[in-house]
Amino acid sequence: QVQLVQSGAEVKKPGASVKVSCKASGYTFTSYYMHWVRQAPGQGLAWMGIISPSGGSTSYAQKFQGRVTMTRDTSTSTVYMELSSLRSEDTAVYYCAREGGGSSRWHFDYWGQGTLVTVSS
Amino acid sequence: QSALTQPPSASGSPGQSVTISCTGTSSDVGGYNYVSWYQQHPGKAPKLMIYEVTKRPSGVPDRFFGSKSGNTASLTVSGLQAEDEADYYCSSYAGSNNLVFGGGTKLTVL
């Protein structure tokens, strides 16, 4: 069965960086795009970007351009999201989400369990 | 990229129907048939309910129905049940490898 297992909660100081991992299993890792979505406490969902696990190409939401980097390791079927220059407004639950395959795009059929990142001095 | 517009709240009694709207522009909702809807219960990850405007994933009850007219997409939940009480989010492809979410709607089953 498809599983996306994310790394554990993080507490970071303002100005620091955080790197969240998402390990995929139960399907062919390189065949499905992966996205990152975040949700601040009590707020809605915000799309951060997409990575192609096969070639590693990425596209980021304008809001996060310059601060976010998404990478992947095909040997471990893991994608990573690194966010730098953290500020208190980055406190949120970060989700990885698998995109539907083939020509059926831009929706997320499987989600990770979420990783809480807290930014506090 | 601006968020899609959803009503903050919606409600209905058990057995009734409720419709949640999601308004965008011709650059997102109106321009592509890549509108999705997600259900999120407190403390849980979102769950896909509708994709490509009208399609239901396996396991999603046919009480959930998606549609679109112009720049506005809608999610209709018929035969409301207590377990339908949750937050609902729409999303749409917005071109140039970008996606945008709606602000979310809290559905209350009275």
Side-chain angles (χ1 to χ4, degrees), chain A:
Chain A
Q1 71 284 19
V2 174
Q3 281 193 301
L4 302 176
V5 179
Q6 299 183 220
S7 49
E10 303 260 14
V11 179
K12 295 292 183 180
K13 293 194 182 302
S17 297
V18 68
K19 191 170 186 178
V20 180
S21 67
C22 169
K23 183 173 177 59
S25 62
Y27 70 97
T28 302
F29 176 70
T30 51
S31 295
Y32 295 80
Y33 293 102
M34 198 74 81
H35 297 247
W36 288 90
V37 175
R38 80 175 189 183
Q39 186 171 36
Q43 303 299 309
L45 303 173
W47 181 77
M48 298 182 71
I50 177 177
I51 182 168
S52 166
S54 60
S57 60
T58 57
S59 180
Y60 304 135
Q62 188 173 9
K63 176 184 172 78
F64 301 103
Q65 287 272 5
R67 285 208 302 143
V68 70
T69 303
M70 296 178 188
T71 56
R72 96 287 188 218
D73 182 344
T74 56
S75 68
T76 60
S77 299
T78 302
V79 295
Y80 300 90
M81 186 284 300
E82 183 170 22
L83 189 63
S84 62
S85 302
L86 289 169
R87 37 213 189 222
S88 58
E89 310 89 89
D90 294 317
T91 294
V93 175
Y94 290 77
Y95 293 101
C96 59
R98 192 190 82 162
E99 186 181 294
S103 62
S104 183
R105 295 210 54 197
W106 297 101
H107 64 271
F108 312 133
D109 56 0
Y110 288 93
W111 294 67
Q113 82 276 21
T115 296
L116 175 62
V117 175
T118 302
V119 183
S120 174
S121 54

Side-chain angles (χ1 to χ4, degrees), chain B residues 64-89:
Chain B
F64 291 83
F65 175 79
S67 62
K68 188 181 86 167
S69 177
N71 296 336
T72 297
S74 298
L75 174 71
T76 298
V77 186
S78 60
L80 272 174
Q81 299 182 5
E83 60 260 34
D84 299 333
E85 185 162 297
D87 293 327
Y88 290 83
Y89 294 91

Side-chain angles (χ1 to χ4, degrees), chain B residues 47-106:
Chain B
K47 174 187 176 183
L48 180 66
M49 304 302 284
I50 296 288
Y51 67 101
E52 292 179 0
V53 180
T54 62
K55 297 178 181 178
R56 266 187 315 274
S58 170
V60 172
D62 59 6
R63 302 185 295 102
F64 291 83
F65 175 79
S67 62
K68 188 181 86 167
S69 177
N71 296 336
T72 297
S74 298
L75 174 71
T76 298
V77 186
S78 60
L80 272 174
Q81 299 182 5
E83 60 260 34
D84 299 333
E85 185 162 297
D87 293 327
Y88 290 83
Y89 294 91
C90 62
S91 72
S92 174
Y93 180 61
S96 301
N97 287 326
N98 277 285
L99 181 127
V100 62
F101 280 101
T105 297
K106 182 176 181 59

